[in-house]
Amino acid sequence: MTSLASGESVFTIVLSHGPLTRAQIAGRTGLSAAAVTKAVRPLMAAGYLVEGPGEGSRALGRPATLVRVDAGAAFFVGVKVTGDEIIAVLTDLCCRVRAAARLPLTGRAPERVLPVLTELVRELLTEADGFGVAVRGLGIAVSGDVDVDSAEGMVRYSPFLEWREVPLAGIAGTATGLPVTVENDVRALTVAEQWFGAGVGLDSFALVTVGAGIGCGLVVHGRVVSGAHGVAGELGHVSIDPDGPPCYCGNRGCVEAVAADPAIVRAVREVTGRPVTTPAEALELARAGDRGARQVYAAAGQAIGRAIGSVVNLLGPERVVISGEGLAAYDLFADGIRDAFAAAAFGTAAQCDVVTRPLPFEEWARGAAATAIQSFIGSATSATPVTSKEQSGVHQ
C-alpha cells in the first residue's frame, strides 16, 4: 500500500469515526504506527487534519491526543444532475452541507445543462466567499456509464440525459475554474452512505436505488466498486424474464423494464386504459384501489426482490439499503420485495439486513461532493511508497 492509499484510508476513517487517537487509527486501518504517522503528516501539514488532547481521559493521567478533520479547512461543491433539474450543495471538508440550491432544466442537451450547472456553482462560490473559505473541488454526479479513469471525466452513456461521449469534467472545469470529479450518481451516493449513512462501519453493503432507473452501488472490503469498465452494479439491466417487456438497452425483462418509474407508468396505462403519464398519477390510481395498477406495483416489487436476492447470493453483503425517489410507492411493493427476496436468497444469505432509507436529491449532491473530497485528499497526500515493514500492521 502506498502512502497515497494510506492517506485516503486514514482520512476516511477519521472523517467517519473520529476524532481518534493514532493507535485507534492503526487498529481500524490495519496500518502500523509508523505508517499512520507517515500518512497523517502531509494532511496535518496542509491543515486538513489537526490534533489536540481529548476529553474524558484525565483519570488515565496524560490526556489522549486525538486526530480530527478540520471541517473549515476547505469547501467543496457537489452537483446532482437529473433529467429535469440540477441540485447543488456547498459542503465543508467534513462534507457537512453549508448551503444548497437548485434550478430547473429547460433541456437535457449538454449545451442546455452546462450553463445552468455553471450558474449554480457560481452561486455557491459566492456563498463560500461569505464563509471566507476557498472551494477546492467540484463533484458532479450523473446517471449512466461514467469513465472515472478518464482525464476528461467522460460520460460514456447517460440514457436519461441522452448523452454519449461527453467530456464533462473538462467542460465543467473550463467553465468554473475548479478541479472536477465526475462519478455515476449511485456510486456517489454510495460514498456518502459509506461515510455518514447506513453503511458506516460496514465492510460490505449494497445500495439499491429505485426511481427513474434501478441502480446499485457496491462496497466490498471497505471500498466502493466501479469495476474494470466502470459499470459494476448495473442491477437495472439484470434480465429476470427473457420474455418480459423490452428494455432500452436492447434486452428483454430487465429489472428496469419492469420496476423503474417509466416502466410502471407504461404498464399501469396499458392494464387500466387510463391516460396515466406520471409516476404520481400511477401511484394515485393504485392507492385508490385499482386492481390492475396494484398488480403492476406488486410485479415491480417482485422484480426488485429477485434482483436483490441475486446481489446477496453473489456478494454476501452485510446490508442492503433501498433508497431513491421510488420509495414513495414502497408500501405498494414492499410485500413483493420481501417475498421475492426470501425466495431468491440462498441459505443464510436470506439473513442479510435489508433496510429502506429515503434520501432527498441533496444527499445525492452531497455524495458528489464526497467524491470531490476523495480526489482532493488523494492529490494532497504524498505518493512516497510505504515500506513493507510499515504496512505490516500493528499486530506483529
Side-chain angles (χ1 to χ4, degrees):
M1 179 186 294
T2 67
S3 63
L4 173 64
S6 302
E8 291 182 40
S9 175
V10 166
F11 178 85
T12 302
I13 288 294
V14 175
L15 178 66
S16 300
H17 301 279
L20 297 171
T21 66
R22 294 186 187 223
Q24 289 170 328
I25 295 171
R28 287 183 177 272
T29 59
L31 296 170
S32 69
V36 169
T37 296
K38 179 170 282 190
V40 163
R41 188 182 299 125
L43 294 170
M44 285 189 168
Y48 306 130
L49 294 182
V50 294
E51 62 182 350
E55 297 180 359
S57 55
R58 293 173 187 165
L60 301 177
R62 192 179 207 179
T65 299
L66 299 177
V67 179
R68 62 177 175 84
V69 175
D70 184 357
F75 277 9
F76 299 83
V77 174
V79 171
K80 157 68 173 170
V81 181
T82 77
D84 305 310
E85 64 178 340
I86 299 181
I87 302 93
V89 296
L90 176 70
T91 79
D92 58 25
L93 190 55
C94 286
C95 214
R96 294 183 300 217
V97 176
R98 299 298 189 95
R102 58 171 67 196
L103 284 173
L105 290 172
T106 58
R108 299 182 180 184
E111 57 268 23
R112 292 289 189 93
V113 172
L114 265 298
V116 179
L117 187 152
T118 303
E119 181 180 346
L120 276 175
V121 172
R122 286 174 178 166
E123 179 179 335
L124 293 180
L125 288 174
T126 300
E127 293 277 355
D129 287 342
F131 288 101
V133 180
V135 172
R136 299 296 187 183
L138 166 63
I140 305 175
V142 299
S143 64
D145 179 2
V146 177
D147 186 349
V148 295
D149 295 323
S150 167
E152 299 87 5
M154 187 71 72
V155 180
R156 298 294 182 193
Y157 177 47
S158 178
F160 301 122
L161 294 174
E162 300 176 352
W163 287 4
R164 287 189 182 273
E165 304 299 324
V166 177
L168 185 55
I171 297 171
T174 299
T176 65
L178 294 171
V180 179
T181 302
V182 179
E183 181 58 280
N184 169 271
D185 55 354
V186 177
R187 281 200 295 270
L189 183 61
T190 303
V191 173
E193 286 299 283
Q194 181 186 29
W195 283 6
F196 316 108
V200 170
L202 299 182
D203 184 63
S204 65
F205 73 94
L207 172 69
V208 175
T209 57
V210 180
I214 306 295
C216 182
L218 302 170
V219 172
V220 179
H221 298 312
R223 300 191 69 85
V224 177
V225 177
S226 59
H229 305 290
V231 292
E234 282 294 342
L235 189 65
H237 296 288
V238 172
S239 178
I240 58 172
D241 181 6
D243 299 319
C247 181
Y248 64 82
C249 73
N251 291 324
R252 301 187 71 91
C254 293
V255 180
E256 205 159 282
V258 177
D261 283 347
I264 289 174
V265 170
R266 183 170 55 252
V268 168
R269 188 167 55 242
E270 290 173 355
V271 301
T272 66
R274 303 284 189 90
V276 175
T277 59
T278 67
E281 291 173 351
L283 184 56
E284 182 180 4
L285 197 58
R287 290 227 170 100
D290 185 281
R291 181 176 297 180
R294 294 182 73 87
Q295 288 174 345
V296 169
Y297 280 99
Q302 290 168 3
I304 296 168
R306 289 179 62 185
I308 292 175
S310 297
V311 170
V312 170
N313 288 342
L314 287 170
L315 297 175
E318 298 170 66
R319 178 174 295 159
V320 174
V321 183
I322 306 174
S323 190
E325 68 273 23
L327 283 186
Y330 188 73
D331 59 304
L332 294 172
F333 52 62
D335 289 346
I337 290 179
R338 183 177 58 250
D339 294 345
F341 169 72
F346 176 75
T348 55
Q351 298 175 14
C352 177
D353 184 28
V354 180
V355 301
T356 58
R357 183 165 156 79
L359 294 168
F361 277 131
E362 282 77 10
E363 285 298 307
W364 297 62
R366 187 188 187 208
T371 66
I373 292 173
Q374 279 187 326
S375 296
F376 176 72
I377 291 302
S379 65
T381 306
S382 169
T384 304
V386 175
T387 68
S388 59
K389 180 178 180 181
E390 288 173 335
Q391 64 175 295
S392 61
V394 292
H395 307 293
Q396 299 182 21

